[in-house]
Structures are given as structure tokens and as C-alpha cells.
Amino acid sequence: GDGDTLAVGARGEGSASTGVGGIESSNASTGSGAVYVFTHNRITGIWSQQAYIKASNRQSHDQFGGSVSLSGDRGDTLAVGATREGSNTTGINNGNQSDNSFSFSGAVYVFTRSGVM
């Protein structure tokens, strides 16, 4: 990226939220994981939290955020690994994400930022 976006994976985070911008203080899903996205203001030099992200099908011990990668542009695309996610879904958006019959199969989630930082 341009050095002004930072993604931090917290695979042990335990909030029960799903998606982007949920409630961070709900600790009812141990080890489900989360990713925090921060942006840097070059004028003030201050880093600020821009997003709090959870898996769409969050479950305990999935370890969402076990790996993170930002795209080489402004960091507008984020890939997040969930090493212990157990869905039997294959491919992209194909199948039932809540069917956890393939324990520890893992998953990757891709998010795209839009709008102004």
C-alpha cells in the first residue's frame, strides 16, 4: 500500500459481532477473532481506527485474523484468513457457511474499502 493503512489481526478476540463495525465489547465468542484497520493522517501524523471487522459467519475458535494482507494500492482490499473456520463451503460464496462439518478447514474473507479515508 501507500503506508497509510494498517490491518491488525487479533485471532483470539472474542466479540460476538459479525461483519464490519459491530460491538467490540461483546465477549461471548471466545477466539472467534477480529481485524482492526487503522489509517494514518499524513498532516497530523495521527493513526486512527477506521474499521473493526468480524467474519460474516463468526463462531468461537475460528481465529479470524490469523493472517491479514492488504493490497498494494492504498490498501483498499483486505484478505483475512480464519485458520480454524470449519465450513464445508467450497469456492467463492458457494454453499452453506453455517455448516461446520469440515473442522479446521480454514477460510479466506475478502473486504473492499470504498469512499474517502
Side-chain angles (χ1 to χ4, degrees):
D2 61 3
D4 289 329
T5 302
L6 172 68
V8 178
R11 67 181 186 186
E13 193 273 348
S15 164
S17 294
T18 58
V20 179
I23 299 169
E24 298 177 42
S25 61
S26 165
N27 290 315
S29 188
T30 305
S32 56
V35 172
Y36 299 85
V37 177
F38 298 89
T39 55
H40 178 248
N41 182 313
R42 290 184 182 192
I43 296 169
T44 65
I46 296 173
W47 285 90
S48 302
Q49 184 175 332
Q50 182 185 41
Y52 168 71
I53 304 171
K54 299 284 289 186
S56 55
N57 60 330
R58 173 259 337 128
Q59 287 199 328
S60 294
H61 309 293
D62 280 354
Q63 296 186 352
F64 179 84
S67 56
V68 296
S69 183
L70 287 168
S71 61
D73 49 15
R74 296 181 325 132
D76 286 342
T77 302
L78 169 68
V80 180
T83 55
R84 301 183 106 189
E85 208 286 319
S87 171
N88 72 349
T89 297
T90 60
I92 299 172
N93 296 328
N94 183 23
N96 181 359
Q97 289 184 347
S98 63
D99 179 344
N100 285 311
S101 60
F102 284 23
S103 295
F104 309 133
S105 57
V108 174
Y109 301 77
V110 178
F111 299 88
T112 304
R113 174 172 52 194
S114 59
V116 179
M117 287 196 313

